[in-house]
Amino acid sequence: MLSITGCSDDLLDNTGVSGTSQPTQFLTSDQLAEGAETNLAIPAAFINGLYAQMIQAGSGGTTNHDDFGHKSYDVFGDMLSGDMALSNSTFGWYRAEITEFQAPLDFTRARNRMVWRYYYRIVRSANTVIQNLGGNNAIPEVEENKYAMGQAKAMRAHSYFYLTQYFQKEYNASEEILPLYTEPLNQNLPKSTAEQVYDLMENDLTEAIELLDGFNRAAKNQVNQDVAKALLAYVLGAKGGRDVDVASLTNDVINSGNYSMLASGDVTNCFCDVNNPSWMWGIDVTENNGLGLISWWGQIDQFSYSYAWAGDYKAIDADLYDAIPNNDFRKAQFTNNPTNDRHLQPAGKFYASGSIGGTSQVVSADYVYMRVEEMYLLNAEANAKLGFDGPARTSLKALLDNRLTDASYVDALSGQALQDEIYLQTRIELWGEGKSFLAMKRNKATTQRGDNHLSFVGEAIDYNDERMQFEIPQDEIQNNPFLGSQNQ
């Protein structure tokens, strides 16, 4: 059993690209399924291996220094949306393929494959866990196996959700967009329609919510029932037309009593500790994880031994910064010194150490995947879209009362003005946390880069512009005869 636990990452080490080998080279699925009935550590080992891939360097199939798991694609999204500016480029990471849109316009570019490979890799790992626990329609009798099944289904939905966001311009039910793998089969499949993919995500998350009832997770890197509800809210929000359900799901999480929003004095408190009571989902990064320069902190945080210190500066979009009022405590999250080339870097929001360009090359600052503040903002957004301005204002003010010295202006907002304010506050509150791209698509927004970007300054770019969608990678189209063409 020690060997099974120790090699769980290897068991799940598959590429997620069509035509590749399966993640069962050490044990057969039948052996694992049989063992899971008597040894509860087996499904736990596989789930832990799945979560380990979320922070694994090279999980997108490259040795690139922007290839470090799920947080890699948070940066991609933040930059595509324009809210994160590459304000100085010395080493070139992100500049050509992301900020200059070369990848979304050319399927031969590596970043397309990175996104595709990483999320399909998680899908196939989740499918292995699900198969080992009895298959898609099984409900395990053993409680621990039931919780493992719930986590696996939630993670499968999580990965398909990001694939839909990055590879489809906007929800179109009949458009064929992605191969839909629900079993770890070594075969190619044609693209399924968006409706079919969204149906699977909704079913997976609905079942996960039920399966995770009563689950007390050992650490916040695991998906619990609240996280599953939040993921379902994101899925339904992206699909559109389900705002009643989005409002209900987010309200459940808000009222769970399991989390509390950051107080005003905590918005400049490093965002580096998974134990923060506002964090719903994240990972406690330790030296044993082996993270260094090739990590989210290694790209974003100027206090680390990082590119953000050495010359590839990431900053808040200048126009977005200007939209933060002076009585907002979040204004201090960013360096405000126009004469310094580090102007508008997040020195007051993200810092893993106490001095610029920390000498340690080992990252132990934590990764945030989801905070409870997202639920307040999603709840406000859903209610506003329903025309329920009162509840929308209540949720928005609950957040802003912890951010502004005076948020009374919200009382006068209604209709589109209220929706616009919620979208703006979402961009400000969650800057750098990988949520700007999702919000842009949900709100069908038009982006316009401020003057601290290195390219396309001032150009209006719609949420469904070709440059806001990655291309199905070249090798996937070549190796899967059922694909044939790009998404429209």
Side-chain angles (χ1 to χ4, degrees):
M1 190 57 237
L2 289 174
S3 65
I4 293 173
T5 304
C7 68
S8 62
D9 290 356
D10 295 326
L11 286 166
L12 296 177
D13 187 15
N14 56 90
T15 67
V17 177
S18 62
T20 58
S21 61
Q22 297 305 297
T24 52
Q25 61 257 39
F26 298 104
L27 296 171
T28 68
S29 291
D30 288 342
Q31 288 171 323
L32 287 165
E34 181 179 352
E37 290 298 319
T38 57
N39 194 325
L40 302 179
I42 291 178
F46 266 67
I47 286 294
N48 289 336
L50 189 155
Y51 289 131
Q53 293 176 80
M54 293 185 72
I55 63 169
Q56 184 178 343
S59 52
T62 74
T63 58
N64 296 334
H65 287 197
D66 56 355
D67 184 351
F68 42 81
H70 173 64
K71 296 295 287 183
S72 305
Y73 312 112
D74 280 353
V75 180
F76 283 11
D78 282 340
M79 287 191 164
L80 288 177
S81 74
D83 283 356
M84 180 180 286
L86 182 65
S87 60
N88 191 73
S89 178
T90 300
F91 300 93
W93 296 110
Y94 302 101
R95 184 164 189 176
E97 292 204 25
I98 302 301
T99 68
E100 295 177 357
F101 304 124
Q102 291 184 14
L105 297 175
D106 181 357
F107 79 145
T108 68
R109 295 286 179 170
R111 272 66 191 174
N112 296 299
R113 185 177 186 271
M114 281 170 54
V115 180
W116 184 275
R117 181 191 189 275
Y118 168 76
Y119 286 111
Y120 268 116
R121 187 183 190 213
I122 298 293
V123 165
R124 295 184 71 180
S125 297
N127 283 340
T128 299
V129 174
I130 292 167
Q131 183 184 63
N132 293 340
L133 292 172
N136 287 291
N137 298 320
I139 301 177
E141 294 183 4
V142 178
E143 192 171 66
E144 285 78 3
N145 289 349
K146 182 178 70 173
Y147 297 152
M149 178 73 88
Q151 292 175 76
K153 288 196 171 183
M155 286 304 301
R156 180 168 69 181
H158 176 264
S159 290
Y160 274 125
F161 172 64
Y162 277 90
L163 287 166
T164 63
Q165 297 308 285
Y166 282 127
F167 289 95
Q168 186 181 31
K169 291 180 180 177
E170 58 186 318
Y171 181 72
N172 176 349
S174 61
E175 181 184 1
E176 296 178 345
I177 57 169
L178 299 168
L180 193 59
Y181 297 97
T182 58
E183 296 179 6
L185 301 175
N186 188 21
Q187 66 183 53
N188 294 311
L189 293 177
K191 288 188 284 190
S192 294
T193 66
E195 182 177 32
Q196 291 169 322
V197 178
Y198 274 79
D199 283 349
L200 177 70
M201 291 189 289
E202 183 175 352
N203 290 337
D204 273 354
L205 289 167
T206 299
E207 291 175 8
I209 290 167
E210 296 176 358
L211 290 164
L212 293 170
D213 187 31
F215 174 52
N216 293 313
R217 58 187 175 180
K220 282 189 181 178
N221 70 299
Q222 299 172 317
V223 172
N224 66 1
Q225 189 179 56
D226 292 330
V227 174
K229 288 181 178 180
L231 292 175
L232 181 55
Y234 271 114
V235 168
L236 299 180
K239 182 178 181 179
R242 298 286 298 276
D243 293 312
V244 170
D245 296 313
V246 174
S248 177
L249 287 161
T250 52
N251 197 56
D252 284 350
V253 177
I254 290 168
N255 291 330
S256 70
N258 296 326
Y259 319 95
S260 57
M261 281 192 288
L262 292 171
S264 58
D266 292 330
V267 297
T268 54
N269 192 21
C270 88
F271 286 75
C272 62
D273 186 357
V274 74
N275 295 311
N276 191 294
S278 81
W279 287 29
M280 294 175 56
W281 190 25
I283 183 167
D284 180 12
V285 177
T286 69
E287 292 186 5
N288 290 335
N289 294 121
L291 300 189
L293 182 62
I294 307 176
S295 68
W296 184 89
W297 290 97
Q299 285 290 354
I300 304 300
D301 173 42
Q302 69 184 57
F303 291 93
S304 300
Y305 181 83
S306 69
Y307 288 104
W309 156 63
D312 283 1
Y313 301 159
K314 288 82 176 178
I316 187 173
D317 174 83
D319 292 342
L320 181 57
Y321 177 80
D322 289 343
I324 305 174
N326 291 329
N327 70 335
D328 191 325
F329 294 98
R330 294 169 299 184
K331 196 99 173 176
Q333 291 178 336
F334 306 95
T335 301
N336 184 13
N337 184 356
T339 64
N340 190 311
D341 61 359
R342 295 186 182 279
H343 182 50
L344 301 185
Q345 280 192 286
K349 183 171 185 179
F350 302 120
Y351 47 95
S353 61
S355 60
I356 300 292
T359 57
S360 173
Q361 298 186 30
V362 178
V363 170
S364 58
D366 300 338
Y367 278 175
V368 59
Y369 298 144
M370 186 182 292
R371 290 192 287 129
V372 73
E373 285 85 350
E374 299 173 39
M375 299 298 97
Y376 284 88
L377 289 162
L378 263 179
N379 183 272
E381 179 184 302
N383 277 307
K385 288 178 178 178
L386 289 166
F388 300 155
D389 291 346
R393 286 192 293 262
T394 297
S395 291
L396 181 59
K397 284 192 71 177
L399 171 72
L400 294 183
D401 282 342
N402 288 289
R403 301 292 180 267
L404 281 68
T405 57
D406 182 8
S408 60
Y409 75 95
V410 174
D411 295 330
L413 297 178
S414 62
Q416 190 60 50
L418 178 58
Q419 292 185 44
D420 292 344
E421 183 65 17
I422 294 165
Y423 175 50
L424 172 63
Q425 294 301 329
T426 299
R427 296 168 63 201
I428 295 170
E429 176 67 25
L430 303 175
W431 186 90
E433 298 178 49
K435 302 302 190 298
S436 290
F437 185 81
L438 307 180
M440 175 196 70
K441 298 196 80 169
R442 274 197 322 273
N443 289 277
K444 302 184 184 300
T446 298
T447 67
Q448 186 168 303
R449 294 180 176 182
D451 60 13
N452 61 331
H453 289 260
L454 300 178
S455 55
F456 298 95
V457 172
E459 179 178 337
I461 303 175
D462 291 334
Y463 72 98
N464 58 359
D465 188 283
E466 185 72 20
R467 292 168 288 184
M468 294 293 107
Q469 171 192 341
F470 286 105
E471 298 274 273
I472 297 176
Q474 180 182 25
D475 62 348
E476 189 69 16
I477 288 181
Q478 290 175 336
N479 295 330
N480 185 346
F482 297 111
L483 292 185
S485 64
Q486 289 294 334
N487 294 339
Q488 298 302 309

